[in-house]
Amino acid sequence: MPIKDTAVRELIRREAQRQNETLNLIASENYAPRDVLEALGSPFTNKYAEGYPGKRYYPGNEIVDQLENLAINRAKKLFKAEHANVQALSGGGANLAIYLALMQPGEKLMALKLSHGGHLSHGHPVNFSGKNYKIIFYEVDKATGRLDMDKIRAQAEIEKPKVIIAGASAYAREINWKEFSVIAKSVGAYLVADISHTAGLIAGGALKNPCPYADVVMTTTHKSLRGPRGAIILCKKELASVIDKSIFPGFQGGPHMASIAGIAVALKNASEEKFKTYAKSTIINSKAMAKEFKKFGIDIISGGTDTHLMVLDLSKQNISGKIAEELLVAAGITVSRSTIPDDTRSPMDPSGIRIGTPAMTTRGFKEKEFIRTAQIISAIITGKNSKKDLKVFREEITKLLKKFPVK
Ligand SMILES: Cc1ncc(COP(=O)(O)O)c(C=O)c1O
Protein backbone atom coordinates (compact mmCIF):
# COMPACT_ATOMS: atom_id res chain seq x y z
CA MET A 1 0.00 0.00 0.00
CA PRO A 2 1.50 3.39 -0.92
CA ILE A 3 2.39 5.73 1.97
CA LYS A 4 -0.38 8.30 2.50
CA ASP A 5 2.01 10.99 3.70
CA THR A 6 2.84 12.55 0.36
CA ALA A 7 5.83 14.50 1.64
CA VAL A 8 7.60 11.36 2.89
CA ARG A 9 6.44 9.34 -0.11
CA GLU A 10 8.00 11.87 -2.44
CA LEU A 11 11.29 11.87 -0.50
CA ILE A 12 11.38 8.05 -0.69
CA ARG A 13 10.74 8.20 -4.42
CA ARG A 14 13.51 10.75 -4.92
CA GLU A 15 15.98 8.82 -2.78
CA ALA A 16 15.26 5.60 -4.71
CA GLN A 17 15.84 7.54 -7.93
CA ARG A 18 19.07 9.06 -6.60
CA GLN A 19 20.34 5.60 -5.65
CA ASN A 20 19.38 4.18 -9.03
CA GLU A 21 21.14 7.01 -10.89
CA THR A 22 24.32 6.96 -8.81
CA LEU A 23 27.34 4.74 -9.33
CA ASN A 24 27.92 3.90 -5.69
CA LEU A 25 31.46 3.07 -4.60
CA ILE A 26 31.00 3.88 -0.90
CA ALA A 27 32.67 0.82 0.64
CA SER A 28 30.28 0.58 3.61
CA GLU A 29 27.06 0.73 1.57
CA ASN A 30 25.02 -1.86 -0.27
CA TYR A 31 21.48 -2.46 -1.54
CA ALA A 32 19.29 -4.53 0.77
CA PRO A 33 17.12 -6.78 -1.38
CA ARG A 34 13.31 -6.49 -1.45
CA ASP A 35 12.78 -9.38 0.99
CA VAL A 36 14.94 -7.63 3.60
CA LEU A 37 13.08 -4.34 3.06
CA GLU A 38 9.75 -6.13 3.43
CA ALA A 39 10.83 -7.73 6.69
CA LEU A 40 11.87 -4.28 7.93
CA GLY A 41 8.44 -2.88 7.16
CA SER A 42 6.62 -5.78 8.85
CA PRO A 43 4.35 -5.71 11.95
CA PHE A 44 7.31 -6.92 14.04
CA THR A 45 8.03 -3.22 14.39
CA ASN A 46 5.02 -2.98 16.75
CA LYS A 47 6.29 -5.45 19.31
CA TYR A 48 8.11 -4.72 22.55
CA ALA A 49 10.35 -7.64 23.47
CA GLU A 50 12.77 -6.56 26.21
CA GLY A 51 14.73 -9.61 27.30
CA TYR A 52 15.70 -12.72 25.37
CA PRO A 53 13.76 -15.68 23.90
CA GLY A 54 11.90 -17.42 26.74
CA LYS A 55 12.73 -14.61 29.21
CA ARG A 56 10.84 -11.48 28.20
CA TYR A 57 9.50 -8.62 30.25
CA TYR A 58 6.33 -8.34 28.12
CA PRO A 59 3.62 -10.81 27.08
CA GLY A 60 2.84 -11.79 23.48
CA ASN A 61 6.33 -12.83 22.46
CA GLU A 62 5.67 -16.42 21.31
CA ILE A 63 6.30 -15.56 17.66
CA VAL A 64 8.99 -13.00 18.33
CA ASP A 65 10.89 -15.67 20.28
CA GLN A 66 10.81 -17.96 17.26
CA LEU A 67 12.04 -15.15 15.03
CA GLU A 68 14.94 -14.22 17.30
CA ASN A 69 15.94 -17.88 17.71
CA LEU A 70 15.83 -18.29 13.94
CA ALA A 71 18.17 -15.30 13.46
CA ILE A 72 20.49 -16.52 16.26
CA ASN A 73 20.71 -20.04 14.83
CA ARG A 74 21.34 -18.76 11.31
CA ALA A 75 24.10 -16.44 12.56
CA LYS A 76 25.76 -19.25 14.55
CA LYS A 77 25.61 -21.62 11.59
CA LEU A 78 26.83 -19.14 8.99
CA PHE A 79 29.83 -17.96 11.02
CA LYS A 80 30.40 -21.24 12.91
CA ALA A 81 30.05 -19.41 16.22
CA GLU A 82 29.26 -20.79 19.67
CA HIS A 83 26.90 -17.95 20.62
CA ALA A 84 25.14 -15.11 18.79
CA ASN A 85 23.38 -11.98 19.98
CA VAL A 86 21.34 -10.27 17.26
CA GLN A 87 19.87 -7.39 19.27
CA ALA A 88 22.50 -4.65 18.91
CA LEU A 89 21.03 -1.66 17.09
CA SER A 90 24.22 -0.65 15.30
CA GLY A 91 27.91 -1.40 15.04
CA GLY A 92 29.10 1.52 17.17
CA GLY A 93 26.73 0.58 19.99
CA ALA A 94 27.65 -3.10 19.70
CA ASN A 95 31.34 -2.25 20.15
CA LEU A 96 30.59 -0.17 23.23
CA ALA A 97 28.50 -3.00 24.70
CA ILE A 98 31.42 -5.39 24.09
CA TYR A 99 33.83 -3.06 25.90
CA LEU A 100 31.36 -2.72 28.79
CA ALA A 101 31.26 -6.51 29.00
CA LEU A 102 35.03 -7.06 28.91
CA MET A 103 36.62 -4.03 30.58
CA GLN A 104 36.33 -1.70 33.54
CA PRO A 105 36.50 2.05 32.81
CA GLY A 106 40.12 3.18 32.53
CA GLU A 107 41.46 -0.22 31.40
CA LYS A 108 43.53 -0.51 28.25
CA LEU A 109 42.06 -1.03 24.77
CA MET A 110 44.49 -1.54 21.88
CA ALA A 111 43.12 -0.62 18.45
CA LEU A 112 44.05 0.52 14.96
CA LYS A 113 44.25 4.31 14.73
CA LEU A 114 41.35 5.92 12.86
CA SER A 115 43.57 7.74 10.37
CA HIS A 116 45.26 4.41 9.59
CA GLY A 117 41.97 2.69 8.79
CA GLY A 118 40.36 2.08 12.21
CA HIS A 119 36.89 3.14 13.34
CA LEU A 120 35.60 5.91 15.58
CA SER A 121 34.27 3.34 18.05
CA HIS A 122 37.78 1.83 18.34
CA GLY A 123 38.97 4.40 20.85
CA HIS A 124 38.87 7.75 19.09
CA PRO A 125 39.11 10.57 21.65
CA VAL A 126 35.75 12.09 20.59
CA ASN A 127 33.96 8.73 21.04
CA PHE A 128 32.72 7.13 24.28
CA SER A 129 35.38 4.42 23.77
CA GLY A 130 38.20 6.97 23.75
CA LYS A 131 36.81 8.87 26.73
CA ASN A 132 36.14 5.82 28.92
CA TYR A 133 39.21 3.63 28.31
CA LYS A 134 42.95 4.11 28.05
CA ILE A 135 43.63 3.73 24.34
CA ILE A 136 46.78 2.31 22.85
CA PHE A 137 46.78 2.77 19.09
CA TYR A 138 48.67 0.56 16.70
CA GLU A 139 49.34 1.75 13.16
CA VAL A 140 50.07 0.44 9.69
CA ASP A 141 53.72 0.28 8.71
CA LYS A 142 54.90 3.48 7.00
CA ALA A 143 56.74 1.71 4.19
CA THR A 144 54.24 -1.05 3.37
CA GLY A 145 50.90 0.41 4.47
CA ARG A 146 50.20 -2.96 6.11
CA LEU A 147 49.81 -4.10 9.69
CA ASP A 148 53.20 -5.16 11.03
CA MET A 149 52.42 -8.04 13.34
CA ASP A 150 55.88 -7.99 14.97
CA LYS A 151 55.42 -4.34 15.96
CA ILE A 152 51.90 -5.05 17.21
CA ARG A 153 53.21 -7.96 19.29
CA ALA A 154 55.99 -5.81 20.79
CA GLN A 155 53.51 -3.03 21.60
CA ALA A 156 51.06 -5.47 23.20
CA GLU A 157 53.85 -6.98 25.32
CA ILE A 158 54.78 -3.56 26.68
CA GLU A 159 51.23 -2.23 27.16
CA LYS A 160 49.45 -5.43 28.26
CA PRO A 161 45.98 -4.27 27.15
CA LYS A 162 42.79 -5.84 28.48
CA VAL A 163 41.27 -5.93 24.99
CA ILE A 164 42.81 -5.91 21.52
CA ILE A 165 40.41 -5.03 18.73
CA ALA A 166 41.28 -6.00 15.15
CA GLY A 167 39.23 -4.94 12.17
CA ALA A 168 38.90 -1.74 10.21
CA SER A 169 36.89 0.66 8.11
CA ALA A 170 39.58 1.53 5.62
CA TYR A 171 42.20 -1.21 5.51
CA ALA A 172 42.47 -3.12 2.24
CA ARG A 173 44.42 -6.17 3.34
CA GLU A 174 43.20 -9.42 4.85
CA ILE A 175 43.67 -9.47 8.61
CA ASN A 176 45.60 -12.35 10.14
CA TRP A 177 43.19 -13.39 12.90
CA LYS A 178 45.33 -16.30 14.00
CA GLU A 179 48.34 -14.10 14.68
CA PHE A 180 46.20 -11.56 16.49
CA SER A 181 44.84 -14.34 18.69
CA VAL A 182 48.33 -15.64 19.49
CA ILE A 183 49.38 -12.12 20.50
CA ALA A 184 46.23 -11.53 22.58
CA LYS A 185 46.60 -14.87 24.40
CA SER A 186 50.29 -14.26 25.12
CA VAL A 187 49.53 -10.97 26.92
CA GLY A 188 46.29 -12.13 28.56
CA ALA A 189 44.04 -9.87 26.45
CA TYR A 190 40.65 -10.57 24.94
CA LEU A 191 40.64 -10.46 21.15
CA VAL A 192 37.67 -8.69 19.54
CA ALA A 193 37.32 -8.96 15.75
CA ASP A 194 35.26 -6.20 14.13
CA ILE A 195 34.28 -7.62 10.73
CA SER A 196 31.64 -4.97 9.97
CA HIS A 197 33.10 -4.33 6.53
CA THR A 198 34.03 -7.85 5.52
CA ALA A 199 31.26 -10.02 7.07
CA GLY A 200 29.66 -10.73 3.69
CA LEU A 201 32.99 -11.74 2.20
CA ILE A 202 33.63 -14.01 5.18
CA ALA A 203 30.11 -15.48 5.04
CA GLY A 204 30.64 -16.17 1.33
CA GLY A 205 33.93 -17.92 2.04
CA ALA A 206 36.10 -15.37 0.21
CA LEU A 207 37.99 -14.27 3.35
CA LYS A 208 38.94 -16.15 6.51
CA ASN A 209 36.51 -16.37 9.41
CA PRO A 210 37.81 -14.98 12.75
CA CYS A 211 35.32 -16.98 14.85
CA PRO A 212 37.74 -19.82 15.67
CA TYR A 213 40.32 -17.29 16.91
CA ALA A 214 38.62 -14.28 18.47
CA ASP A 215 36.86 -14.21 21.85
CA VAL A 216 34.23 -11.87 20.45
CA VAL A 217 33.33 -11.03 16.84
CA MET A 218 31.15 -8.08 15.93
CA THR A 219 29.64 -7.23 12.59
CA THR A 220 27.21 -4.70 11.27
CA THR A 221 24.58 -6.30 9.06
CA HIS A 222 24.13 -3.59 6.42
CA LYS A 223 27.46 -3.53 4.59
CA SER A 224 28.82 -6.46 2.56
CA LEU A 225 26.33 -8.74 4.38
CA ARG A 226 23.55 -6.89 2.55
CA GLY A 227 21.01 -6.81 5.35
CA PRO A 228 19.17 -4.11 7.28
CA ARG A 229 20.96 -1.67 9.59
CA GLY A 230 21.91 -3.52 12.76
CA ALA A 231 24.66 -5.64 14.26
CA ILE A 232 25.45 -9.16 15.42
CA ILE A 233 27.80 -10.12 18.23
CA LEU A 234 29.28 -13.63 18.09
CA CYS A 235 31.29 -15.06 20.95
CA LYS A 236 32.58 -18.09 22.79
CA LYS A 237 30.11 -19.87 25.10
CA GLU A 238 31.92 -18.67 28.24
CA LEU A 239 31.23 -15.04 27.30
CA ALA A 240 27.61 -15.54 26.19
CA SER A 241 26.00 -14.40 29.41
CA VAL A 242 28.21 -11.35 29.96
CA ILE A 243 27.71 -10.21 26.34
CA ASP A 244 23.94 -10.70 26.43
CA LYS A 245 23.67 -8.84 29.74
CA SER A 246 25.80 -6.03 28.42
CA ILE A 247 23.45 -5.48 25.42
CA PHE A 248 20.32 -5.84 27.56
CA PRO A 249 19.82 -4.53 30.20
CA GLY A 250 23.31 -2.98 30.22
CA PHE A 251 23.12 -0.84 27.13
CA GLN A 252 19.77 -1.07 25.35
CA GLY A 253 16.05 -1.45 25.99
CA GLY A 254 13.73 -3.27 23.59
CA PRO A 255 15.26 -4.89 20.50
CA HIS A 256 14.12 -3.76 17.04
CA MET A 257 12.30 -6.94 16.08
CA ALA A 258 11.62 -5.85 12.49
CA SER A 259 15.37 -5.34 12.00
CA ILE A 260 15.97 -8.79 13.47
CA ALA A 261 13.48 -10.16 10.90
CA GLY A 262 15.54 -8.42 8.18
CA ILE A 263 18.77 -9.80 9.67
CA ALA A 264 17.31 -13.34 9.62
CA VAL A 265 16.45 -12.94 5.93
CA ALA A 266 19.90 -11.53 5.10
CA LEU A 267 21.60 -14.42 6.92
CA LYS A 268 19.60 -16.95 4.89
CA ASN A 269 20.50 -15.14 1.67
CA ALA A 270 24.17 -15.10 2.70
CA SER A 271 24.16 -18.87 3.24
CA GLU A 272 23.10 -19.56 -0.33
CA GLU A 273 25.44 -20.69 -3.09
CA LYS A 274 25.03 -17.53 -5.17
CA PHE A 275 26.23 -15.40 -2.26
CA LYS A 276 29.57 -17.22 -2.51
CA THR A 277 29.83 -15.97 -6.09
CA TYR A 278 28.90 -12.47 -4.92
CA ALA A 279 31.64 -12.47 -2.24
CA LYS A 280 34.27 -13.77 -4.67
CA SER A 281 33.26 -11.33 -7.42
CA THR A 282 33.33 -8.35 -5.03
CA ILE A 283 37.04 -9.01 -4.41
CA ILE A 284 37.86 -9.81 -8.06
CA ASN A 285 36.23 -6.50 -9.03
CA SER A 286 38.12 -4.59 -6.36
CA LYS A 287 41.45 -6.03 -7.53
CA ALA A 288 40.61 -5.15 -11.14
CA MET A 289 39.98 -1.52 -10.15
CA ALA A 290 43.22 -1.36 -8.14
CA LYS A 291 45.20 -2.65 -11.13
CA GLU A 292 43.64 0.00 -13.36
CA PHE A 293 44.33 2.87 -10.93
CA LYS A 294 47.98 1.84 -10.83
CA LYS A 295 48.17 2.12 -14.63
CA PHE A 296 47.26 5.80 -14.21
CA GLY A 297 50.03 6.29 -11.64
CA ILE A 298 47.62 6.62 -8.72
CA ASP A 299 49.03 5.39 -5.41
CA ILE A 300 47.04 2.90 -3.38
CA ILE A 301 47.75 2.53 0.34
CA SER A 302 49.51 -0.85 0.79
CA GLY A 303 49.88 -1.07 -3.00
CA GLY A 304 46.64 -2.93 -3.68
CA THR A 305 43.82 -4.85 -2.06
CA ASP A 306 42.78 -8.30 -0.85
CA THR A 307 39.25 -7.19 -0.06
CA HIS A 308 36.30 -5.13 -1.27
CA LEU A 309 37.98 -1.75 -0.78
CA MET A 310 41.05 0.36 -1.35
CA VAL A 311 42.26 3.78 -0.24
CA LEU A 312 43.73 5.98 -2.97
CA ASP A 313 46.43 8.44 -1.90
CA LEU A 314 45.86 11.55 -4.03
CA SER A 315 48.82 13.56 -2.68
CA LYS A 316 50.73 13.16 -5.96
CA GLN A 317 47.70 14.32 -7.96
CA ASN A 318 47.57 17.48 -5.87
CA ILE A 319 43.87 17.15 -5.27
CA SER A 320 42.23 16.69 -1.86
CA GLY A 321 39.83 13.88 -0.99
CA LYS A 322 36.99 16.35 -0.58
CA ILE A 323 37.53 17.95 -3.98
CA ALA A 324 37.83 14.52 -5.59
CA GLU A 325 34.61 13.47 -3.87
CA GLU A 326 32.82 16.57 -5.22
CA LEU A 327 34.12 16.18 -8.79
CA LEU A 328 33.10 12.53 -8.81
CA VAL A 329 29.61 13.36 -7.53
CA ALA A 330 29.29 15.73 -10.50
CA ALA A 331 30.03 12.76 -12.75
CA GLY A 332 27.46 10.57 -10.93
CA ILE A 333 29.92 8.58 -8.79
CA THR A 334 29.91 8.46 -4.98
CA VAL A 335 33.08 7.56 -3.06
CA SER A 336 34.03 8.63 0.45
CA ARG A 337 36.90 10.93 1.31
CA SER A 338 39.43 9.20 3.53
CA THR A 339 42.51 9.99 5.55
CA ILE A 340 45.74 8.29 4.57
CA PRO A 341 48.17 7.08 7.26
CA ASP A 342 49.91 10.07 8.88
CA ASP A 343 47.78 12.45 6.85
CA THR A 344 48.89 16.05 7.09
CA ARG A 345 45.44 17.26 6.01
CA SER A 346 42.27 17.33 8.15
CA PRO A 347 39.70 14.48 8.27
CA MET A 348 37.12 16.85 6.72
CA ASP A 349 39.39 17.45 3.75
CA PRO A 350 41.92 14.61 3.79
CA SER A 351 44.43 13.35 1.21
CA GLY A 352 42.62 10.25 0.04
CA ILE A 353 39.44 8.59 -1.11
CA ARG A 354 38.09 5.17 -0.18
CA ILE A 355 36.58 3.07 -2.93
CA GLY A 356 34.59 -0.14 -2.50
CA THR A 357 32.88 -2.65 -4.77
CA PRO A 358 30.10 -4.34 -2.68
CA ALA A 359 27.21 -2.13 -3.85
CA MET A 360 27.90 -2.12 -7.59
CA THR A 361 28.71 -5.85 -7.53
CA THR A 362 25.20 -6.34 -6.10
CA ARG A 363 23.84 -4.40 -9.10
CA GLY A 364 25.65 -6.74 -11.47
CA PHE A 365 28.78 -4.80 -12.42
CA LYS A 366 31.58 -7.12 -13.53
CA GLU A 367 35.29 -6.46 -14.06
CA LYS A 368 34.61 -4.75 -17.41
CA GLU A 369 32.33 -2.11 -15.86
CA PHE A 370 34.60 -1.62 -12.83
CA ILE A 371 37.64 -1.14 -15.07
CA ARG A 372 35.82 1.49 -17.12
CA THR A 373 34.71 3.16 -13.88
CA ALA A 374 38.34 3.22 -12.67
CA GLN A 375 39.36 4.81 -15.97
CA ILE A 376 36.75 7.54 -15.57
CA ILE A 377 37.75 8.19 -11.94
CA SER A 378 41.41 8.31 -12.93
CA ALA A 379 40.72 10.74 -15.76
CA ILE A 380 38.80 12.98 -13.36
CA ILE A 381 41.36 12.99 -10.58
CA THR A 382 44.46 13.24 -12.73
CA GLY A 383 43.18 15.80 -15.26
CA LYS A 384 41.93 19.34 -15.35
CA ASN A 385 38.24 18.83 -15.88
CA SER A 386 35.86 21.39 -17.19
CA LYS A 387 32.17 21.20 -16.36
CA LYS A 388 31.69 19.91 -19.91
CA ASP A 389 34.04 16.94 -19.36
CA LEU A 390 32.19 16.00 -16.20
CA LYS A 391 28.90 16.22 -18.07
CA VAL A 392 30.20 13.83 -20.73
CA PHE A 393 31.26 11.33 -18.04
CA ARG A 394 27.89 11.82 -16.32
CA GLU A 395 26.10 10.92 -19.55
CA GLU A 396 28.21 7.79 -20.02
CA ILE A 397 27.55 6.71 -16.43
CA THR A 398 23.81 7.35 -16.72
CA LYS A 399 23.72 5.13 -19.79
CA LEU A 400 25.73 2.41 -18.06
CA LEU A 401 23.59 2.47 -14.90
CA LYS A 402 20.40 1.98 -16.91
CA LYS A 403 21.66 -1.54 -17.66
CA PHE A 404 22.15 -2.26 -13.93
CA PRO A 405 19.07 -1.03 -12.04
CA VAL A 406 18.72 -1.37 -8.28
CA LYS A 407 16.42 -4.36 -7.83
C1 LIG B 1 34.72 -1.36 11.39
C2 LIG B 1 33.43 -0.70 11.79
N1 LIG B 1 32.95 -0.88 13.03
C3 LIG B 1 31.81 -0.29 13.44
C4 LIG B 1 31.08 0.52 12.60
C5 LIG B 1 29.86 1.23 13.14
O1 LIG B 1 28.69 0.81 12.61
P1 LIG B 1 27.35 1.72 12.72
O2 LIG B 1 27.49 2.80 11.72
O3 LIG B 1 26.26 0.73 12.45
O4 LIG B 1 27.30 2.23 14.13
C6 LIG B 1 31.52 0.72 11.30
C7 LIG B 1 30.74 1.58 10.37
O5 LIG B 1 31.19 2.19 9.49
C8 LIG B 1 32.74 0.11 10.88
O6 LIG B 1 33.23 0.33 9.65
Side-chain angles (χ1 to χ4, degrees):
M1 207 174 35
I3 296 171
K4 278 201 223 103
D5 178 337
T6 51
V8 171
R9 194 171 70 208
E10 177 57 9
L11 289 172
I12 292 172
R13 189 196 65 73
R14 280 174 50 204
E15 174 60 10
Q17 184 180 1
R18 185 199 67 79
Q19 289 186 14
N20 215 11
E21 293 174 357
T22 301
L23 198 161
N24 184 6
L25 298 173
I26 295 178
S28 50
E29 292 187 2
N30 213 328
Y31 304 97
R34 284 277 139 207
D35 52 4
V36 167
L37 296 180
E38 259 184 48
L40 267 180
S42 69
F44 277 119
T45 226
N46 303 331
K47 190 69 200 98
Y48 241 110
E50 277 183 345
Y52 287 101
K55 285 170 281 174
R56 305 282 187 188
Y57 290 82
Y58 286 79
N61 283 300
E62 311 76 50
I63 300 162
V64 153
D65 279 5
Q66 288 177 45
L67 174 72
E68 189 166 341
N69 279 329
L70 187 66
I72 288 170
N73 289 332
R74 284 180 179 173
K76 280 164 63 178
K77 191 162 173 220
L78 188 61
F79 291 101
K80 301 183 182 65
E82 291 177 14
H83 179 75
N85 183 305
V86 296
Q87 292 197 1
L89 306 179
S90 76
N95 276 339
L96 299 188
I98 293 167
Y99 305 150
L100 282 172
L102 304 181
M103 285 186 284
Q104 295 302 315
E107 287 192 309
K108 282 184 186 172
L109 167 68
M110 193 165 145
L112 179 62
K113 202 187 235 176
L114 179 70
S115 59
H116 286 232
H119 187 259
L120 205 62
S121 62
H122 295 189
H124 193 278
V126 300
N127 184 262
F128 174 89
S129 54
K131 292 187 202 290
N132 217 34
Y133 301 101
K134 179 151 176 20
I135 309 300
I136 315 298
F137 283 121
Y138 56 90
E139 303 185 343
V140 297
D141 180 73
K142 269 192 180 48
T144 63
R146 292 174 185 245
L147 295 174
D148 178 336
M149 298 310 288
D150 291 332
K151 275 196 204 153
I152 292 169
R153 180 180 302 107
Q155 213 179 343
E157 279 167 4
I158 294 168
E159 298 290 353
K160 302 231 172 338
K162 186 75 185 282
V163 171
I164 299 177
I165 186 160
S169 294
Y171 181 70
R173 297 300 180 173
E174 183 158 22
I175 291 172
N176 189 333
W177 306 115
K178 195 172 171 188
E179 268 198 79
F180 261 111
S181 90
V182 170
I183 294 171
K185 277 205 180 74
S186 75
V187 299
Y190 288 110
L191 176 64
V192 176
D194 181 342
I195 57 167
S196 291
H197 263 264
T198 49
L201 310 177
I202 291 166
L207 291 178
K208 287 197 191 74
N209 183 2
C211 282
Y213 305 108
D215 299 290
V216 182
V217 175
M218 193 289 287
T219 181
T220 54
T221 45
H222 44 275
K223 298 186 173 81
S224 56
L225 201 55
R226 236 197 237 158
R229 306 197 85 81
I232 298 173
I233 303 175
L234 306 159
C235 65
K236 303 279 179 218
K237 261 199 193 116
E238 308 86 80
L239 291 171
S241 162
V242 62
I243 288 289
D244 283 352
K245 279 189 191 141
S246 188
I247 284 285
F248 174 85
F251 191 65
Q252 295 179 179
H256 294 186
M257 292 315 304
S259 297
I260 292 175
I263 289 172
V265 173
L267 290 168
K268 178 157 191 297
N269 290 343
S271 69
E272 283 168 5
E273 211 47 42
K274 57 180 186 243
F275 201 83
K276 290 200 172 77
T277 311
Y278 167 67
K280 215 164 115 196
S281 310
T282 301
I283 297 178
I284 290 172
N285 294 338
S286 177
K287 285 181 193 267
M289 283 192 102
K291 201 165 149 202
E292 201 63 23
F293 286 129
K294 283 204 232 168
K295 286 189 197 159
F296 284 82
I298 297 169
D299 289 334
I300 303 172
I301 303 299
S302 86
T305 179
D306 305 325
T307 65
H308 63 301
L309 68 77
M310 69 212 79
V311 176
L312 306 188
D313 174 357
L314 305 180
S315 315
K316 247 172 41 192
Q317 280 70 35
N318 225 353
I319 174 174
S320 77
K322 183 163 175 270
I323 300 284
E325 196 187 277
E326 284 164 10
L327 286 173
L328 292 170
V329 164
I333 300 171
T334 51
V335 301
S336 38
R337 73 193 81 161
S338 174
T339 49
I340 57 166
D342 303 313
D343 209 330
T344 50
R345 303 181 62 95
S346 78
M348 273 309 277
D349 191 13
S351 301
I353 52 174
R354 187 187 66 171
I355 289 186
T357 52
M360 293 314 296
T361 303
T362 293
R363 283 175 75 166
F365 265 34
K366 302 224 160 37
E367 279 172 281
K368 179 172 161 245
E369 290 80 24
F370 277 108
I371 287 170
R372 179 62 196 139
T373 304
Q375 288 167 350
I376 293 174
I377 293 174
S378 303
I380 292 174
I381 58 187
T382 56
K384 300 245 172 301
N385 300 281
S386 66
K387 277 199 177 134
K388 201 171 132 222
D389 299 325
L390 292 174
K391 204 170 148 247
V392 172
F393 286 133
R394 181 64 175 120
E395 279 160 10
E396 181 181 343
I397 282 162
T398 303
K399 224 161 130 191
L400 180 64
L401 291 177
K402 284 213 170 101
K403 291 192 234 159
F404 299 91
V406 178
K407 287 196 183 120

